[in-house]
Amino acid sequence: VDRLYELAQGFVKLMRDRDVEAFDPWIENSVRCTIPDVESFATGLQKDYEAVKASLVLSYSNGPVEGQSNRLKFVKRSMFGRGSFQLLRSRFLEVA
């Protein structure tokens, strides 16, 4: 449990501080730990290594776009089977 806590807090700190230098050592320690879920998570991060590293370096975020997409999907799902595209369009524009 202590090891899991240490790795989790290390990840939170490197993401919060955007510490690119701490990323590689964290990945190495996580892949070698004996906690299967942490090893799997670290392996997944290794597969997207360049993207994760870029997220630490660059200040860009797709959060606003994801928020709009999530809102549209919510409205669409709440209306499933109840109307046409025109109703969906007017409902989405009404919510905005």
Side-chain angles (χ1 to χ4, degrees), residues 29-80:
N29 290 334
S30 299
V31 169
R32 283 189 256 139
C33 80
T34 58
I35 305 167
D37 290 336
V38 175
E39 290 174 352
S40 175
F41 179 68
T43 302
L45 290 179
Q46 279 183 323
K47 289 179 183 175
D48 288 333
Y49 180 80
E50 292 301 321
V52 175
K53 199 144 189 172
S55 74
L56 296 172
V57 175
L58 302 174
S59 63
Y60 302 111
S61 171
N62 68 340
V65 174
E66 290 296 325
Q68 292 296 327
S69 176
N70 189 29
R71 186 167 62 97
L72 173 61
K73 288 178 182 181
F74 171 75
V75 171
K76 179 183 167 194
R77 288 184 187 122
S78 69
M79 293 178 48
F80 183 75

Side-chain angles (χ1 to χ4, degrees), residues 2-14 26 30 38:
D2 288 336
R3 181 74 175 136
L4 176 61
Y5 181 78
E6 175 186 322
L7 289 169
Q9 290 302 310
F11 184 73
V12 168
K13 183 173 179 0
L14 79 89
W26 187 88
S30 299
V38 175

